[in-house]
Amino acid sequence: MDVNRLLEGFLGSGGGQKRPASGKSGGLPDGLLGGAAAGGLAALLLGSKKGRKLGGKALKIGGMAVVGGLAYKAYSDWQAKKTSGTEAEPLNLPKPPADSGFDVENDHDAGGEDFRLALMKAMIAAAKSDGHIDQEEHARIHEQIGNLGLGSAEKSALFDYFAAPADPVAVARLARTTEQRAEIYLASALSIDPDTPEEQQYLESLAGALQMPEGLRGHLDLEAQAARRQAAG
């Protein structure tokens, strides 16, 4: 399976490409550019009929690599006992060091798969948790999957991810390190705006299943909030 091609279909053109950490494009470092291009299933999944979900907008701007950058910042602040979410442009954070445990492009989940697939599964599960994706929207998502020009393996994977229930315990099992637990939680928090009881309960259940160190979740939530603010413009 071509993971980069699959991610491009999910986030939009460029969503799965590995980019250098230096240089800028459109105000964002190339390493965080990710899904800035229009299109991709995220445009359907991370939106809603109300046009909300600013966290989803942040993901569409930043792509997968932004998860690692934000999670690394939150984790570093937690270790140093500093306040998180105070930076003016959280979506412009530099790429984490390769040996930091937050290099999402070169990491693997508990099942040995490319860790970016675990993040995609986490995003999809979180976005489905409030039940806003109705039968009509499911049909639109399936239609777009068929129109992405993906191979059979990539299409099959997407169909499976969308068909899976929003199970926070199953999502938590994808992590094998504390750093990955932080990334999975942050990706999930960015996929929703936790303003409904269903979304809030999902994040509570996910945090409990991930068993993160005490206090880390608060730093991750602050970084997610800061990303939403920047996405709101």
Side-chain angles (χ1 to χ4, degrees), residues 73-112:
K73 179 64 166 59
Y75 189 85
S76 300
D77 289 340
W78 168 72
Q79 287 185 314
K81 298 182 179 180
K82 295 181 179 179
T83 302
S84 292
T86 59
E87 57 274 12
E89 297 184 330
L91 298 180
N92 294 57
L93 291 171
K95 187 175 180 178
D99 61 352
S100 66
F102 290 92
D103 183 6
V104 298
E105 295 177 341
N106 296 292
D107 209 352
H108 294 83
D109 67 18

Side-chain angles (χ1 to χ4, degrees), residues 1 6 34 54 90 94 140 144 200:
M1 182 169 64
L6 177 59
L54 291 171
R140 291 172 58 205
Q144 185 159 340
Q200 293 164 7

Side-chain angles (χ1 to χ4, degrees), residues 2-8 10-11 14-19 63-65 103-109 113-123 161 174 180 183 187:
D2 188 335
V3 174
N4 283 335
R5 192 176 181 189
L6 177 59
L7 292 171
E8 286 168 6
F10 180 67
L11 288 171
Q17 293 179 10
K18 297 184 178 181
R19 300 173 180 269
M64 287 293 181
D103 183 6
V104 298
E105 295 177 341
N106 296 292
D107 209 352
H108 294 83
D109 67 18
E113 286 189 329
D114 188 312
F115 187 63
R116 293 173 296 173
L117 295 180
L119 294 178
M120 184 192 303
K121 294 173 187 177
M123 292 174 190
Y161 297 168
L174 298 172
Q180 288 185 350
E183 289 167 328

Side-chain angles (χ1 to χ4, degrees), residues 151-182:
S152 59
E154 291 79 32
K155 286 182 182 179
S156 178
L158 283 174
F159 285 132
D160 287 346
Y161 297 168
F162 278 97
D167 183 350
V169 175
V171 170
R173 291 195 187 111
L174 298 172
R176 60 178 177 80
T177 66
T178 299
E179 292 84 356
Q180 288 185 350
R181 294 183 183 95

Side-chain angles (χ1 to χ4, degrees), residues 22-78:
S22 62
K24 291 198 174 186
S25 177
L28 290 172
D30 286 345
L32 300 185
L33 185 58
L41 290 171
L44 294 176
L45 178 68
L46 304 182
S48 78
K49 291 179 178 178
K50 297 179 181 178
R52 57 183 179 79
K53 297 191 183 297
L54 291 171
K57 184 177 179 182
L59 282 170
K60 286 182 282 185
I61 293 171
M64 287 293 181
V66 78
V67 175
L70 289 169
Y72 176 66
K73 179 64 166 59
Y75 189 85
S76 300
D77 289 340
W78 168 72

